PDB file of all heavy atoms in Angstrom:
ATOM      1  N   GLY A   2      29.552 111.049-113.480  1.00 40.00           N
ATOM      2  CA  GLY A   2      29.882 112.451-113.604  1.00 40.00           C
ATOM      3  C   GLY A   2      31.268 112.597-114.071  1.00 40.00           C
ATOM      4  O   GLY A   2      32.100 111.600-114.231  1.00 40.00           O
ATOM      5  N   VAL A   3      31.781 113.863-114.254  1.00 46.00           N
ATOM      6  CA  VAL A   3      32.931 114.155-114.651  1.00 46.00           C
ATOM      7  C   VAL A   3      34.038 114.042-113.487  1.00 46.00           C
ATOM      8  O   VAL A   3      33.849 114.616-112.364  1.00 46.00           O
ATOM      9  CB  VAL A   3      33.041 115.637-115.229  1.00 46.00           C
ATOM     10  CG1 VAL A   3      34.439 116.025-115.596  1.00 46.00           C
ATOM     11  CG2 VAL A   3      32.166 115.660-116.420  1.00 46.00           C
ATOM     12  N   MET A   4      35.249 113.406-113.661  1.00 55.00           N
ATOM     13  CA  MET A   4      36.158 113.199-112.577  1.00 55.00           C
ATOM     14  C   MET A   4      37.370 114.047-112.908  1.00 55.00           C
ATOM     15  O   MET A   4      37.720 114.395-114.103  1.00 55.00           O
ATOM     16  CB  MET A   4      36.650 111.796-112.655  1.00 55.00           C
ATOM     17  CG  MET A   4      35.456 110.770-112.291  1.00 55.00           C
ATOM     18  SD  MET A   4      34.921 110.926-110.569  1.00 55.00           S
ATOM     19  CE  MET A   4      33.725 109.550-110.513  1.00 55.00           C
ATOM     20  N   ALA A   5      37.937 114.488-111.837  1.00 65.00           N
ATOM     21  CA  ALA A   5      39.120 115.345-111.904  1.00 65.00           C
ATOM     22  C   ALA A   5      40.331 114.436-111.887  1.00 65.00           C
ATOM     23  O   ALA A   5      40.445 113.609-110.835  1.00 65.00           O
ATOM     24  CB  ALA A   5      39.280 116.355-110.837  1.00 65.00           C
ATOM     25  N   ALA A   6      41.325 114.479-112.834  1.00 75.00           N
ATOM     26  CA  ALA A   6      42.536 113.658-112.804  1.00 75.00           C
ATOM     27  C   ALA A   6      43.449 114.130-111.687  1.00 75.00           C
ATOM     28  O   ALA A   6      43.554 115.293-111.416  1.00 75.00           O
ATOM     29  CB  ALA A   6      43.028 113.583-114.138  1.00 75.00           C
ATOM     30  N   ASN A   7      44.231 113.157-111.258  1.00 82.00           N
ATOM     31  CA  ASN A   7      45.315 113.397-110.312  1.00 82.00           C
ATOM     32  C   ASN A   7      46.305 114.211-111.077  1.00 82.00           C
ATOM     33  O   ASN A   7      46.737 113.933-112.165  1.00 82.00           O
ATOM     34  CB  ASN A   7      45.864 112.090-109.834  1.00 82.00           C
ATOM     35  CG  ASN A   7      46.907 112.350-108.669  1.00 82.00           C
ATOM     36  OD1 ASN A   7      47.846 113.119-108.748  1.00 82.00           O
ATOM     37  ND2 ASN A   7      46.592 111.579-107.504  1.00 82.00           N
ATOM     38  N   PRO A   8      46.682 115.389-110.409  1.00 82.00           N
ATOM     39  CA  PRO A   8      47.746 116.293-111.120  1.00 82.00           C
ATOM     40  C   PRO A   8      49.008 115.518-111.356  1.00 82.00           C
ATOM     41  O   PRO A   8      49.883 116.108-112.170  1.00 82.00           O
ATOM     42  CB  PRO A   8      47.853 117.382-110.061  1.00 82.00           C
ATOM     43  CG  PRO A   8      47.363 116.937-108.736  1.00 82.00           C
ATOM     44  CD  PRO A   8      46.272 115.852-109.135  1.00 82.00           C
ATOM     45  N   GLU A   9      49.245 114.444-110.683  1.00 84.00           N
ATOM     46  CA  GLU A   9      50.662 113.777-110.948  1.00 84.00           C
ATOM     47  C   GLU A   9      50.635 113.035-112.373  1.00 84.00           C
ATOM     48  O   GLU A   9      51.594 112.654-112.953  1.00 84.00           O
ATOM     49  CB  GLU A   9      50.845 112.674-109.950  1.00 84.00           C
ATOM     50  CG  GLU A   9      51.138 113.323-108.539  1.00 84.00           C
ATOM     51  CD  GLU A   9      51.435 112.337-107.491  1.00 84.00           C
ATOM     52  OE1 GLU A   9      51.948 111.166-107.836  1.00 84.00           O
ATOM     53  OE2 GLU A   9      51.179 112.482-106.364  1.00 84.00           O
ATOM     54  N   VAL A  10      49.347 112.887-112.937  1.00 83.00           N
ATOM     55  CA  VAL A  10      49.266 112.260-114.304  1.00 83.00           C
ATOM     56  C   VAL A  10      49.529 113.084-115.319  1.00 83.00           C
ATOM     57  O   VAL A  10      48.951 114.162-115.382  1.00 83.00           O
ATOM     58  CB  VAL A  10      47.903 111.593-114.320  1.00 83.00           C
ATOM     59  CG1 VAL A  10      47.746 110.909-115.640  1.00 83.00           C
ATOM     60  CG2 VAL A  10      47.588 110.644-113.241  1.00 83.00           C
ATOM     61  N   SER A  11      50.519 112.704-116.164  1.00 85.00           N
ATOM     62  CA  SER A  11      50.843 113.668-117.250  1.00 85.00           C
ATOM     63  C   SER A  11      49.795 113.614-118.356  1.00 85.00           C
ATOM     64  O   SER A  11      49.126 112.743-118.717  1.00 85.00           O
ATOM     65  CB  SER A  11      52.155 113.032-117.909  1.00 85.00           C
ATOM     66  OG  SER A  11      52.518 113.844-118.998  1.00 85.00           O
ATOM     67  N   ASP A  12      49.762 114.823-119.043  1.00 86.00           N
ATOM     68  CA  ASP A  12      48.767 115.032-120.111  1.00 86.00           C
ATOM     69  C   ASP A  12      49.510 115.095-121.364  1.00 86.00           C
ATOM     70  O   ASP A  12      49.005 115.705-122.442  1.00 86.00           O
ATOM     71  CB  ASP A  12      47.798 116.036-119.858  1.00 86.00           C
ATOM     72  CG  ASP A  12      48.427 117.429-119.640  1.00 86.00           C
ATOM     73  OD1 ASP A  12      49.692 117.499-119.656  1.00 86.00           O
ATOM     74  OD2 ASP A  12      47.770 118.476-119.632  1.00 86.00           O
ATOM     75  N   SER A  13      50.838 114.892-121.389  1.00 88.00           N
ATOM     76  CA  SER A  13      51.740 115.055-122.642  1.00 88.00           C
ATOM     77  C   SER A  13      51.220 114.055-123.815  1.00 88.00           C
ATOM     78  O   SER A  13      50.741 112.931-123.398  1.00 88.00           O
ATOM     79  CB  SER A  13      53.132 114.824-122.327  1.00 88.00           C
ATOM     80  OG  SER A  13      53.447 113.556-121.963  1.00 88.00           O
ATOM     81  N   GLU A  14      51.443 114.443-124.974  1.00 86.00           N
ATOM     82  CA  GLU A  14      51.034 113.557-126.072  1.00 86.00           C
ATOM     83  C   GLU A  14      51.847 112.246-126.116  1.00 86.00           C
ATOM     84  O   GLU A  14      51.377 111.240-126.425  1.00 86.00           O
ATOM     85  CB  GLU A  14      51.382 114.216-127.409  1.00 86.00           C
ATOM     86  CG  GLU A  14      50.428 115.439-127.715  1.00 86.00           C
ATOM     87  CD  GLU A  14      50.526 116.096-128.917  1.00 86.00           C
ATOM     88  OE1 GLU A  14      51.329 115.599-129.700  1.00 86.00           O
ATOM     89  OE2 GLU A  14      49.844 117.042-129.266  1.00 86.00           O
ATOM     90  N   GLU A  15      53.127 112.280-125.799  1.00 87.00           N
ATOM     91  CA  GLU A  15      54.125 111.166-125.728  1.00 87.00           C
ATOM     92  C   GLU A  15      53.553 110.071-124.744  1.00 87.00           C
ATOM     93  O   GLU A  15      53.441 108.868-124.927  1.00 87.00           O
ATOM     94  CB  GLU A  15      55.475 111.561-125.318  1.00 87.00           C
ATOM     95  CG  GLU A  15      56.174 112.321-126.407  1.00 87.00           C
ATOM     96  CD  GLU A  15      55.661 113.839-126.250  1.00 87.00           C
ATOM     97  OE1 GLU A  15      54.928 114.230-125.364  1.00 87.00           O
ATOM     98  OE2 GLU A  15      56.139 114.626-127.169  1.00 87.00           O
ATOM     99  N   ALA A  16      53.029 110.588-123.444  1.00 86.00           N
ATOM    100  CA  ALA A  16      52.713 109.803-122.512  1.00 86.00           C
ATOM    101  C   ALA A  16      51.348 109.098-122.835  1.00 86.00           C
ATOM    102  O   ALA A  16      51.039 107.849-122.545  1.00 86.00           O
ATOM    103  CB  ALA A  16      52.500 110.522-120.975  1.00 86.00           C
ATOM    104  N   ILE A  17      50.413 109.933-123.471  1.00 87.00           N
ATOM    105  CA  ILE A  17      49.140 109.393-123.820  1.00 87.00           C
ATOM    106  C   ILE A  17      49.238 108.344-124.878  1.00 87.00           C
ATOM    107  O   ILE A  17      48.604 107.374-124.979  1.00 87.00           O
ATOM    108  CB  ILE A  17      48.354 110.575-124.303  1.00 87.00           C
ATOM    109  CG1 ILE A  17      47.880 111.526-123.180  1.00 87.00           C
ATOM    110  CG2 ILE A  17      47.027 110.057-125.089  1.00 87.00           C
ATOM    111  CD1 ILE A  17      47.191 112.777-123.593  1.00 87.00           C
ATOM    112  N   ALA A  18      50.215 108.555-125.899  1.00 85.00           N
ATOM    113  CA  ALA A  18      50.453 107.635-126.998  1.00 85.00           C
ATOM    114  C   ALA A  18      51.011 106.212-126.416  1.00 85.00           C
ATOM    115  O   ALA A  18      50.505 105.147-126.791  1.00 85.00           O
ATOM    116  CB  ALA A  18      51.404 108.203-128.035  1.00 85.00           C
ATOM    117  N   ALA A  19      51.978 106.371-125.523  1.00 84.00           N
ATOM    118  CA  ALA A  19      52.551 105.209-124.919  1.00 84.00           C
ATOM    119  C   ALA A  19      51.515 104.364-124.087  1.00 84.00           C
ATOM    120  O   ALA A  19      51.344 103.130-124.256  1.00 84.00           O
ATOM    121  CB  ALA A  19      53.770 105.534-123.999  1.00 84.00           C
ATOM    122  N   GLY A  20      50.613 105.188-123.413  1.00 81.00           N
ATOM    123  CA  GLY A  20      49.575 104.544-122.612  1.00 81.00           C
ATOM    124  C   GLY A  20      48.491 103.907-123.405  1.00 81.00           C
ATOM    125  O   GLY A  20      48.103 102.853-123.146  1.00 81.00           O
ATOM    126  N   LYS A  21      48.186 104.494-124.644  1.00 85.00           N
ATOM    127  CA  LYS A  21      47.312 103.963-125.502  1.00 85.00           C
ATOM    128  C   LYS A  21      47.660 102.620-126.126  1.00 85.00           C
ATOM    129  O   LYS A  21      46.922 101.780-126.188  1.00 85.00           O
ATOM    130  CB  LYS A  21      46.996 104.954-126.674  1.00 85.00           C
ATOM    131  CG  LYS A  21      45.934 104.289-127.594  1.00 85.00           C
ATOM    132  CD  LYS A  21      45.595 105.377-128.687  1.00 85.00           C
ATOM    133  CE  LYS A  21      44.513 104.992-129.539  1.00 85.00           C
ATOM    134  NZ  LYS A  21      44.049 105.995-130.573  1.00 85.00           N
ATOM    135  N   SER A  22      48.909 102.492-126.333  1.00 79.00           N
ATOM    136  CA  SER A  22      49.473 101.270-126.840  1.00 79.00           C
ATOM    137  C   SER A  22      49.360 100.133-125.712  1.00 79.00           C
ATOM    138  O   SER A  22      48.947  98.990-126.049  1.00 79.00           O
ATOM    139  CB  SER A  22      51.000 101.364-127.164  1.00 79.00           C
ATOM    140  OG  SER A  22      51.599 100.185-127.565  1.00 79.00           O
ATOM    141  N   ILE A  23      49.658 100.470-124.505  1.00 78.00           N
ATOM    142  CA  ILE A  23      49.443  99.500-123.323  1.00 78.00           C
ATOM    143  C   ILE A  23      47.923  99.186-123.340  1.00 78.00           C
ATOM    144  O   ILE A  23      47.654  97.891-123.155  1.00 78.00           O
ATOM    145  CB  ILE A  23      50.022 100.024-122.024  1.00 78.00           C
ATOM    146  CG1 ILE A  23      51.554 100.291-122.238  1.00 78.00           C
ATOM    147  CG2 ILE A  23      49.768  99.055-120.912  1.00 78.00           C
ATOM    148  CD1 ILE A  23      52.052 101.039-121.023  1.00 78.00           C
ATOM    149  N   PHE A  24      47.033 100.181-123.318  1.00 78.00           N
ATOM    150  CA  PHE A  24      45.674  99.878-123.153  1.00 78.00           C
ATOM    151  C   PHE A  24      45.197  98.921-124.243  1.00 78.00           C
ATOM    152  O   PHE A  24      44.378  98.005-124.069  1.00 78.00           O
ATOM    153  CB  PHE A  24      45.032 101.274-123.250  1.00 78.00           C
ATOM    154  CG  PHE A  24      43.424 101.130-123.176  1.00 78.00           C
ATOM    155  CD1 PHE A  24      42.883 101.042-121.961  1.00 78.00           C
ATOM    156  CD2 PHE A  24      42.712 101.116-124.278  1.00 78.00           C
ATOM    157  CE1 PHE A  24      41.342 100.817-121.936  1.00 78.00           C
ATOM    158  CE2 PHE A  24      41.363 100.934-124.340  1.00 78.00           C
ATOM    159  CZ  PHE A  24      40.691 100.926-123.137  1.00 78.00           C
ATOM    160  N   ASN A  25      45.463  99.335-125.595  1.00 77.00           N
ATOM    161  CA  ASN A  25      44.963  98.514-126.732  1.00 77.00           C
ATOM    162  C   ASN A  25      45.491  97.212-126.589  1.00 77.00           C
ATOM    163  O   ASN A  25      44.834  96.157-127.102  1.00 77.00           O
ATOM    164  CB  ASN A  25      45.484  99.177-127.996  1.00 77.00           C
ATOM    165  CG  ASN A  25      44.732 100.425-128.294  1.00 77.00           C
ATOM    166  OD1 ASN A  25      43.661 100.562-127.749  1.00 77.00           O
ATOM    167  ND2 ASN A  25      45.169 101.289-129.165  1.00 77.00           N
ATOM    168  N   THR A  26      46.777  96.887-126.172  1.00 69.00           N
ATOM    169  CA  THR A  26      47.360  95.553-126.062  1.00 69.00           C
ATOM    170  C   THR A  26      46.609  94.758-124.939  1.00 69.00           C
ATOM    171  O   THR A  26      46.329  93.510-125.200  1.00 69.00           O
ATOM    172  CB  THR A  26      48.804  95.609-125.837  1.00 69.00           C
ATOM    173  OG1 THR A  26      49.395  96.289-126.860  1.00 69.00           O
ATOM    174  CG2 THR A  26      49.384  94.170-125.880  1.00 69.00           C
ATOM    175  N   ASN A  27      46.249  95.360-123.856  1.00 68.00           N
ATOM    176  CA  ASN A  27      45.857  94.414-122.672  1.00 68.00           C
ATOM    177  C   ASN A  27      44.498  94.809-122.163  1.00 68.00           C
ATOM    178  O   ASN A  27      43.999  93.896-121.462  1.00 68.00           O
ATOM    179  CB  ASN A  27      46.924  94.786-121.434  1.00 68.00           C
ATOM    180  CG  ASN A  27      48.315  94.478-121.866  1.00 68.00           C
ATOM    181  OD1 ASN A  27      48.702  93.267-122.145  1.00 68.00           O
ATOM    182  ND2 ASN A  27      49.115  95.558-122.215  1.00 68.00           N
ATOM    183  N   CYS A  28      43.857  95.962-122.538  1.00 70.00           N
ATOM    184  CA  CYS A  28      42.663  96.251-121.791  1.00 70.00           C
ATOM    185  C   CYS A  28      41.390  96.397-122.676  1.00 70.00           C
ATOM    186  O   CYS A  28      40.249  96.431-122.267  1.00 70.00           O
ATOM    187  CB  CYS A  28      42.880  97.679-121.041  1.00 70.00           C
ATOM    188  SG  CYS A  28      44.454  97.731-120.185  1.00 70.00           S
ATOM    189  N   LYS A  29      41.748  96.791-123.886  1.00 72.00           N
ATOM    190  CA  LYS A  29      40.687  97.137-124.890  1.00 72.00           C
ATOM    191  C   LYS A  29      39.557  96.084-125.158  1.00 72.00           C
ATOM    192  O   LYS A  29      38.309  96.429-125.258  1.00 72.00           O
ATOM    193  CB  LYS A  29      41.294  97.436-126.183  1.00 72.00           C
ATOM    194  CG  LYS A  29      40.180  98.131-127.271  1.00 72.00           C
ATOM    195  CD  LYS A  29      40.883  98.452-128.427  1.00 72.00           C
ATOM    196  CE  LYS A  29      39.864  99.113-129.477  1.00 72.00           C
ATOM    197  NZ  LYS A  29      40.615  99.519-130.860  1.00 72.00           N
ATOM    198  N   THR A  30      39.869  94.857-124.812  1.00 64.00           N
ATOM    199  CA  THR A  30      38.827  93.803-125.104  1.00 64.00           C
ATOM    200  C   THR A  30      37.720  93.826-124.015  1.00 64.00           C
ATOM    201  O   THR A  30      36.581  93.578-124.284  1.00 64.00           O
ATOM    202  CB  THR A  30      39.606  92.362-124.889  1.00 64.00           C
ATOM    203  OG1 THR A  30      40.468  92.237-125.902  1.00 64.00           O
ATOM    204  CG2 THR A  30      38.551  91.247-125.016  1.00 64.00           C
ATOM    205  N   CYS A  31      38.061  94.309-122.790  1.00 66.00           N
ATOM    206  CA  CYS A  31      37.127  94.308-121.661  1.00 66.00           C
ATOM    207  C   CYS A  31      36.632  95.855-121.266  1.00 66.00           C
ATOM    208  O   CYS A  31      35.741  95.774-120.630  1.00 66.00           O
ATOM    209  CB  CYS A  31      37.594  93.677-120.474  1.00 66.00           C
ATOM    210  SG  CYS A  31      38.122  91.869-120.714  1.00 66.00           S
ATOM    211  N   HIS A  32      37.295  96.746-121.742  1.00 70.00           N
ATOM    212  CA  HIS A  32      37.153  98.027-121.132  1.00 70.00           C
ATOM    213  C   HIS A  32      36.978  99.195-122.266  1.00 70.00           C
ATOM    214  O   HIS A  32      37.564  99.102-123.359  1.00 70.00           O
ATOM    215  CB  HIS A  32      38.241  98.423-120.246  1.00 70.00           C
ATOM    216  CG  HIS A  32      38.259  97.549-118.969  1.00 70.00           C
ATOM    217  ND1 HIS A  32      37.465  97.830-117.925  1.00 70.00           N
ATOM    218  CD2 HIS A  32      38.995  96.489-118.673  1.00 70.00           C
ATOM    219  CE1 HIS A  32      37.613  96.879-116.917  1.00 70.00           C
ATOM    220  NE2 HIS A  32      38.726  96.162-117.359  1.00 70.00           N
ATOM    221  N   ARG A  33      36.167 100.185-121.882  1.00 75.00           N
ATOM    222  CA  ARG A  33      36.139 101.447-122.644  1.00 75.00           C
ATOM    223  C   ARG A  33      36.496 102.561-121.614  1.00 75.00           C
ATOM    224  O   ARG A  33      36.487 102.380-120.494  1.00 75.00           O
ATOM    225  CB  ARG A  33      34.758 101.617-123.197  1.00 75.00           C
ATOM    226  CG  ARG A  33      34.307 100.659-124.160  1.00 75.00           C
ATOM    227  CD  ARG A  33      35.011 100.571-125.393  1.00 75.00           C
ATOM    228  NE  ARG A  33      34.678  99.393-126.250  1.00 75.00           N
ATOM    229  CZ  ARG A  33      35.167  98.203-126.214  1.00 75.00           C
ATOM    230  NH1 ARG A  33      36.144  97.865-125.331  1.00 75.00           N
ATOM    231  NH2 ARG A  33      34.717  97.177-127.062  1.00 75.00           N
ATOM    232  N   LEU A  34      36.888 103.727-122.189  1.00 79.00           N
ATOM    233  CA  LEU A  34      37.204 104.800-121.300  1.00 79.00           C
ATOM    234  C   LEU A  34      35.952 105.458-120.616  1.00 79.00           C
ATOM    235  O   LEU A  34      36.084 105.715-119.394  1.00 79.00           O
ATOM    236  CB  LEU A  34      37.968 105.881-122.069  1.00 79.00           C
ATOM    237  CG  LEU A  34      39.347 105.532-122.842  1.00 79.00           C
ATOM    238  CD1 LEU A  34      39.932 106.646-123.435  1.00 79.00           C
ATOM    239  CD2 LEU A  34      40.184 104.810-121.698  1.00 79.00           C
ATOM    240  N   ASP A  35      34.888 105.603-121.340  1.00 81.00           N
ATOM    241  CA  ASP A  35      33.861 106.403-120.747  1.00 81.00           C
ATOM    242  C   ASP A  35      32.429 105.641-120.586  1.00 81.00           C
ATOM    243  O   ASP A  35      31.376 106.176-120.501  1.00 81.00           O
ATOM    244  CB  ASP A  35      33.674 107.541-121.625  1.00 81.00           C
ATOM    245  CG  ASP A  35      34.817 108.457-121.800  1.00 81.00           C
ATOM    246  OD1 ASP A  35      35.120 109.082-120.766  1.00 81.00           O
ATOM    247  OD2 ASP A  35      35.414 108.586-122.779  1.00 81.00           O
ATOM    248  N   GLN A  36      32.400 104.318-120.978  1.00 76.00           N
ATOM    249  CA  GLN A  36      31.194 103.547-120.795  1.00 76.00           C
ATOM    250  C   GLN A  36      31.602 102.126-120.329  1.00 76.00           C
ATOM    251  O   GLN A  36      32.594 101.630-120.627  1.00 76.00           O
ATOM    252  CB  GLN A  36      30.385 103.641-122.085  1.00 76.00           C
ATOM    253  CG  GLN A  36      31.133 102.990-123.370  1.00 76.00           C
ATOM    254  CD  GLN A  36      30.398 103.235-124.626  1.00 76.00           C
ATOM    255  OE1 GLN A  36      29.090 103.339-124.552  1.00 76.00           O
ATOM    256  NE2 GLN A  36      30.961 103.319-125.766  1.00 76.00           N
ATOM    257  N   LYS A  37      30.628 101.553-119.705  1.00 70.00           N
ATOM    258  CA  LYS A  37      30.975 100.076-119.236  1.00 70.00           C
ATOM    259  C   LYS A  37      30.820  99.196-120.312  1.00 70.00           C
ATOM    260  O   LYS A  37      30.074  99.337-121.192  1.00 70.00           O
ATOM    261  CB  LYS A  37      29.865  99.726-118.241  1.00 70.00           C
ATOM    262  CG  LYS A  37      30.007 100.572-116.876  1.00 70.00           C
ATOM    263  CD  LYS A  37      29.024  99.974-115.815  1.00 70.00           C
ATOM    264  CE  LYS A  37      29.240  98.605-115.392  1.00 70.00           C
ATOM    265  NZ  LYS A  37      28.415  98.179-114.320  1.00 70.00           N
ATOM    266  N   ASN A  38      31.631  98.203-120.295  1.00 67.00           N
ATOM    267  CA  ASN A  38      31.650  97.094-121.253  1.00 67.00           C
ATOM    268  C   ASN A  38      31.639  95.869-120.523  1.00 67.00           C
ATOM    269  O   ASN A  38      30.803  95.675-119.609  1.00 67.00           O
ATOM    270  CB  ASN A  38      32.866  97.218-122.265  1.00 67.00           C
ATOM    271  CG  ASN A  38      32.702  96.276-123.466  1.00 67.00           C
ATOM    272  OD1 ASN A  38      31.696  96.023-123.826  1.00 67.00           O
ATOM    273  ND2 ASN A  38      33.898  95.881-123.907  1.00 67.00           N
ATOM    274  N   VAL A  39      32.637  94.947-120.673  1.00 60.00           N
ATOM    275  CA  VAL A  39      32.745  93.798-119.918  1.00 60.00           C
ATOM    276  C   VAL A  39      33.182  94.240-118.497  1.00 60.00           C
ATOM    277  O   VAL A  39      32.604  93.692-117.330  1.00 60.00           O
ATOM    278  CB  VAL A  39      33.861  92.760-120.347  1.00 60.00           C
ATOM    279  CG1 VAL A  39      34.012  91.610-119.468  1.00 60.00           C
ATOM    280  CG2 VAL A  39      33.315  92.288-121.685  1.00 60.00           C
ATOM    281  N   GLY A  40      34.100  95.110-118.337  1.00 60.00           N
ATOM    282  CA  GLY A  40      34.448  95.814-117.142  1.00 60.00           C
ATOM    283  C   GLY A  40      33.938  97.181-117.078  1.00 60.00           C
ATOM    284  O   GLY A  40      33.291  97.720-117.914  1.00 60.00           O
ATOM    285  N   PRO A  41      34.203  97.944-116.063  1.00 66.00           N
ATOM    286  CA  PRO A  41      33.613  99.395-115.745  1.00 66.00           C
ATOM    287  C   PRO A  41      34.431 100.283-116.731  1.00 66.00           C
ATOM    288  O   PRO A  41      35.573 100.092-117.223  1.00 66.00           O
ATOM    289  CB  PRO A  41      33.954  99.695-114.280  1.00 66.00           C
ATOM    290  CG  PRO A  41      35.178  98.754-113.982  1.00 66.00           C
ATOM    291  CD  PRO A  41      35.059  97.473-114.713  1.00 66.00           C
ATOM    292  N   ALA A  42      33.731 101.467-116.835  1.00 73.00           N
ATOM    293  CA  ALA A  42      34.467 102.525-117.504  1.00 73.00           C
ATOM    294  C   ALA A  42      35.639 103.031-116.686  1.00 73.00           C
ATOM    295  O   ALA A  42      35.781 102.887-115.514  1.00 73.00           O
ATOM    296  CB  ALA A  42      33.534 103.639-117.769  1.00 73.00           C
ATOM    297  N   LEU A  43      36.691 103.559-117.397  1.00 74.00           N
ATOM    298  CA  LEU A  43      37.972 103.692-116.664  1.00 74.00           C
ATOM    299  C   LEU A  43      38.263 105.133-116.394  1.00 74.00           C
ATOM    300  O   LEU A  43      38.973 105.455-115.341  1.00 74.00           O
ATOM    301  CB  LEU A  43      39.074 103.167-117.670  1.00 74.00           C
ATOM    302  CG  LEU A  43      38.987 101.693-118.084  1.00 74.00           C
ATOM    303  CD1 LEU A  43      40.139 101.268-118.920  1.00 74.00           C
ATOM    304  CD2 LEU A  43      38.803 100.762-116.873  1.00 74.00           C
ATOM    305  N   ARG A  44      37.823 106.096-117.269  1.00 82.00           N
ATOM    306  CA  ARG A  44      38.284 107.541-116.998  1.00 82.00           C
ATOM    307  C   ARG A  44      37.884 108.017-115.568  1.00 82.00           C
ATOM    308  O   ARG A  44      36.726 107.614-115.109  1.00 82.00           O
ATOM    309  CB  ARG A  44      37.764 108.430-118.050  1.00 82.00           C
ATOM    310  CG  ARG A  44      38.551 109.706-118.181  1.00 82.00           C
ATOM    311  CD  ARG A  44      37.943 110.652-119.325  1.00 82.00           C
ATOM    312  NE  ARG A  44      37.551 110.029-120.468  1.00 82.00           N
ATOM    313  CZ  ARG A  44      38.482 110.032-121.557  1.00 82.00           C
ATOM    314  NH1 ARG A  44      39.680 110.364-121.435  1.00 82.00           N
ATOM    315  NH2 ARG A  44      38.196 109.514-122.750  1.00 82.00           N
TER     316      ARG A  44
END
């Protein structure tokens, strides 16, 4: 189902872009945001 994000998490474009870089470098091989891959979905 749809999850509500913690309000402490920023939704700014700068934070999302920086987080995407970390995700692509370290997590993308095993994970997707909205569906299971090697590991669980993350969102």
Side-chain angles (χ1 to χ4, degrees):
V3 176
M4 298 291 184
N7 190 304
E9 295 181 29
V10 178
S11 172
D12 60 354
S13 68
E14 294 183 3
E15 294 79 7
I17 293 173
K21 183 173 184 178
S22 177
I23 297 173
F24 177 86
N25 288 339
T26 302
N27 304 287
C28 317
K29 188 176 180 180
T30 298
C31 298
H32 294 276
R33 301 294 178 269
L34 297 183
D35 300 288
Q36 54 186 336
K37 293 185 65 176
N38 192 27
V39 176
L43 307 183
R44 203 186 305 275

